[in-house]
Amino acid sequence: MKKQITLLLVAISLTLSVVSQENAFVIEYVSGNLRTIDLTDATLNTIGNASNNIGALEFGPEEVLYGINSTTNQFIEIDTSDASVTNIGSITPPASHIWTGLAYDPNTAIMYAISAQGTASGTSTLHTVDVTDGSVTEIGSQSTATAISCIAIDADGQMYGLQLGTTPKMYLIDKSDGSVSLLGDVTSFGGAGMGYGMDYDTESGTMYLTAYDSFSFENKLYTVDLSDGSASEVGDLDEWTGALAIISGFSCDFSADVTEICTSGTVNFTDESNGAVSWSWTFEGGTPSSSTEQNPSVVYNTAGTYDVSLEVMNTLGDTESETKTNYIYTAETPAQCDMPEGETEVCTGQIVFYSTSEVSWAEEYEWEITPEEAAILTANDNEATLEFAEDWTGDFTLKVRASNACGVGEWSDNMNGTVSLSPSLFETEGGGSYCLNGEGVEITVNGSEDGINYELYLDGEPTGNIIAGTGSEISFGLITEEGYYTTLATNDNCEEQMDNQVEVEIIYPPLEPETPTGPVVVCNDETSEYESEGAPDADSYVWVLDPENAGEITMDGLTVTVAWNTGYSGTALVSLYGLNDCGEGNASMALEVTVDAVPEPEIEGNDQVCNNSTEVYSTAEIDGATYTWDISGGEISDGQGTNSISVDWEEPGDGYVSLAMETEAGCSGNSEDFYVLIDDCTGIGGFSSASEIYVHPNPAKDKLYINAKSGIREVRFTDLRGNILLETMPAAVSTQINTSSLNPGIYVVQIVTENDIIIRKVIIED
């Protein structure tokens, strides 16, 4: 079969071969330009100028291009490489005739020329031409087909001629006497003048025609159907071509009517060479083994694969040869097959493979099992598969024979076998997980049969744990070794793998998780996130914060969030441990976190000052902290960046002092604004000392008490802008002021005594 495919590909390759444009040439009648023509699309490519008025063109012996000048009657040779011309001799046509065509027959090595009495009417005469000197010998004339404008010869030696006219016609020409017979109408164009050329391409087996359409004034390339003379367009030509010539070549080829036969069969060979006049055949394995006939017949009596060779010679003594390797395949009826090989003791439901040795010349193998109900048989050449029935037991036979197109061989000897009952299918169950140092897990089979032994297998290997069937469920006991377990049931003849497998797995306590990662220095007003890569065997995790009051934790698997307690500072430890069904594992190494308190600075200093005075304001000092003071109503004259500053107060009015503080750990906090009343301090001798007046409580709600060493004459409440909101006129060293009418806020109290005016800042609350 492979050989047939190979030969088919060769045939396809030959059929699809295309003549390149270097094999075909045209000459433009008027200009005399020699050009190549691509026979696939009519594309032209100029080589050079040869001679105008060339009315006939053809390749002769040894692929020499010859032409006839229809005006000068000169027979010429044209060099296809550069279009140079060599005059061979004068070629004289009959009276009133012009030369219109040349055609070379490679089978006989004869060059023919045709002349016509004009190109519109009159007789046509066929001649032979001696290419060495241009001399001609007349063969015969005819007047049936007038105005023959071009001729060509196909591979079988048949000559064709195109007759011009309103409806051009294709004629068959008899080379022996010049007579003609009509093949059919061309019908593709109107024909008149010298713009026609025709030649046969032996390589593709196609007749080509260049023609001028006297109706549309177009030039085209056509192919000609040699069964009826009709023409099909290939493509447009851009010039008026007067002649066409295609290199025919001398070639050797052959075919056979059949390439696969049985012994004593006959093969008929056909010569498909071009230009051959003698033949020398060699037939490996054939009778006769050689021949000089053109188309011999050969008998093959012995089976085998054989080469065929052909050497041909043309009239010039040139030779060509062709050898087709393994071309003829001769087969004989296959011999008896060997007895099949395979298991003879088998079990129900079992799938078994059988084979026999390959037999020479076998194309097919036929297998047969008896009885048929014993198994489903699937054959594949010299191999077969038997799927034995689940419900059949007993003896069976298996045989095989080979065949081909030549006959069928004898059956092989019977292979005898026996089918025994296999154990029934049950399922292995149980298994699972147990904790380290536990008792293990039970493995069972959910059914069993009397007379069957069931062995437990671990990872495909027998364990020696064998239990005899009881007709009901059986147990292999508690199993502790990890792995995958299956069960194999056996009797005297058969074994059967039970369905399903179970796994035994030991659960180990979780290992110690990786040390958590996250920030190690935090402020106690922050929320921090910590994570760990976890631990093998852990199903979940518990996070631990030590001490617990350092913050509040939110756990999410291997991640924990800590909201630090604003009331805590110091060192905290973050750790975790894993959990699974078998308990908890060791805790991880703890991550040590330094929790730094957020500073809450309080400002100390005078809140009632005179304008243009300098006052000192301070807060408690913390090592490594930075201090950023902010002043309204004055300027810092000294101490910015420290815990104590000097402030130069300016215009009378309201002012304040505030402080932003950051610890060395980066924790930052702000003080409350420290409000300051700036007075011009004129005309009253200055403020009394703080020991001379006592205002309480501060902050106050509904009542405010004032005590002084000297009598209190007047108490005036103003807002920070100086607007009087409440004014009383007591006359005692102590007094009680009802402040319930005042809105919550900061007020300035002016206390007028017998000696001084004393100013205090008071806060009223809800």
Side-chain angles (χ1 to χ4, degrees), residues 495-507:
E495 62 182 31
E496 188 70 50
Q497 183 78 41
M498 298 294 98
D499 285 343
N500 200 19
Q501 68 173 5
V502 297
E503 182 182 9
V504 174
E505 181 182 19
I506 300 174
I507 301 177

Side-chain angles (χ1 to χ4, degrees), residues 729-744:
M729 303 293 290
V733 294
S734 64
T735 185
Q736 174 181 307
I737 308 298
N738 186 348
T739 60
S740 61
S741 62
L742 298 176
N743 293 324

Side-chain angles (χ1 to χ4, degrees), residues 122-133:
T123 61
S124 295
T125 304
L126 185 64
H127 309 260
T128 60
V129 181
D130 186 338
V131 297
T132 63
D133 58 9

Side-chain angles (χ1 to χ4, degrees), residues 3 7 259 284 305-308 323-329:
K3 177 178 177 62
L7 293 176
T259 58
E284 181 185 17
T305 303
Y306 303 109
D307 300 343
V308 177
T323 296
K324 296 186 179 183
T325 304
N326 298 330
Y327 188 51
I328 302 299
Y329 174 78

Side-chain angles (χ1 to χ4, degrees), residues 24-93:
F25 298 81
V26 295
I27 284 189
E28 297 163 3
Y29 189 76
V30 177
S31 67
N33 286 329
L34 177 67
R35 307 180 76 178
T36 60
I37 180 171
D38 190 326
L39 297 176
T40 64
D41 60 9
T43 302
L44 299 173
N45 184 35
T46 302
I47 298 173
N49 187 262
S51 176
N52 59 2
N53 299 327
I54 300 298
L57 195 67
E58 178 67 306
F59 282 97
E62 299 181 359
E63 299 181 356
V64 174
L65 182 60
Y66 296 95
I68 301 177
N69 189 309
S70 297
T71 301
T72 64
N73 294 324
Q74 185 66 39
F75 189 65
I76 61 175
E77 177 183 332
I78 304 171
D79 190 328
T80 57
S81 65
D82 60 7
S84 60
V85 174
T86 301
N87 289 325
I88 297 175
S90 295
I91 180 169
T92 304

Side-chain angles (χ1 to χ4, degrees), residues 22 76 80 92 144 154 169 171-172 186 294 372 390 461 470 496 516 570 591 643 702 704 751:
E22 287 75 17
I76 61 175
T80 57
T92 304
T144 303
D154 66 12
K169 300 179 183 297
Y171 281 88
L172 301 176
V186 178
Q294 183 177 5
E372 292 183 0
E390 298 282 356
E461 298 295 328
T470 62
E496 188 70 50
L591 179 68
N643 71 310
D702 297 333
L704 183 70
I751 305 167

Side-chain angles (χ1 to χ4, degrees), residues 11-284:
I12 292 174
S13 175
L14 292 174
T15 301
L16 295 180
S17 64
V18 176
V19 178
S20 67
Q21 65 178 22
E22 287 75 17
N23 293 46
F25 298 81
V26 295
I27 284 189
E28 297 163 3
Y29 189 76
V30 177
S31 67
N33 286 329
L34 177 67
R35 307 180 76 178
T36 60
I37 180 171
D38 190 326
L39 297 176
T40 64
D41 60 9
T43 302
L44 299 173
N45 184 35
T46 302
I47 298 173
N49 187 262
S51 176
N52 59 2
N53 299 327
I54 300 298
L57 195 67
E58 178 67 306
F59 282 97
E62 299 181 359
E63 299 181 356
V64 174
L65 182 60
Y66 296 95
I68 301 177
N69 189 309
S70 297
T71 301
T72 64
N73 294 324
Q74 185 66 39
F75 189 65
I76 61 175
E77 177 183 332
I78 304 171
D79 190 328
T80 57
S81 65
D82 60 7
S84 60
V85 174
T86 301
N87 289 325
I88 297 175
S90 295
I91 180 169
T92 304
S96 302
H97 280 220
I98 61 173
W99 296 109
T100 59
L102 279 173
Y104 179 70
D105 187 350
N107 298 305
T108 59
I110 297 175
M111 180 72 78
Y112 295 87
I114 196 164
S115 63
Q117 192 173 359
T119 57
S121 63
T123 61
S124 295
T125 304
L126 185 64
H127 309 260
T128 60
V129 181
D130 186 338
V131 297
T132 63
D133 58 9
S135 59
V136 296
T137 301
E138 182 177 330
I139 296 175
S141 299
Q142 55 82 31
S143 58
T144 303
T146 60
I148 295 292
S149 65
C150 51
I151 58 175
I153 298 174
D154 66 12
D156 296 326
Q158 176 61 58
M159 181 180 290
Y160 300 82
L162 174 68
Q163 178 192 23
L164 298 181
T166 302
T167 301
K169 300 179 183 297
M170 190 66 64
Y171 281 88
L172 301 176
I173 301 176
D174 189 331
K175 293 182 296 182
S176 66
D177 59 8
S179 61
V180 299
S181 59
L182 179 64
L183 180 62
D185 292 340
V186 178
T187 70
S188 298
F189 51 85
M194 296 295 291
Y196 303 89
M198 186 166 63
D199 206 359
Y200 183 80
D201 174 26
T202 57
E203 188 169 346
S204 65
T206 305
M207 183 72 77
Y208 288 92
L209 171 67
T210 59
Y212 165 71
D213 190 340
S214 60
F215 297 142
S216 64
F217 310 111
E218 295 177 328
N219 296 277
K220 297 180 182 293
L221 175 67
Y222 298 90
T223 60
V224 178
D225 187 335
L226 298 184
S227 67
D228 60 9
S230 61
S232 300
E233 182 181 331
V234 175
D236 292 330
L237 298 169
D238 59 5
E239 292 286 350
W240 193 33
T241 59
L244 169 68
I246 302 172
I247 299 175
S248 295
F250 171 46
S251 63
C252 178
D253 197 10
F254 61 89
S255 63
D257 62 343
V258 62
T259 58
E260 294 189 0
I261 60 172
C262 299
T263 52
S264 301
T266 299
V267 179
N268 299 308
F269 293 92
T270 300
D271 170 46
E272 295 181 352
S273 302
N274 185 45
V277 294
S278 67
W279 301 266
S280 177
W281 297 83
T282 301
F283 305 106
E284 181 185 17

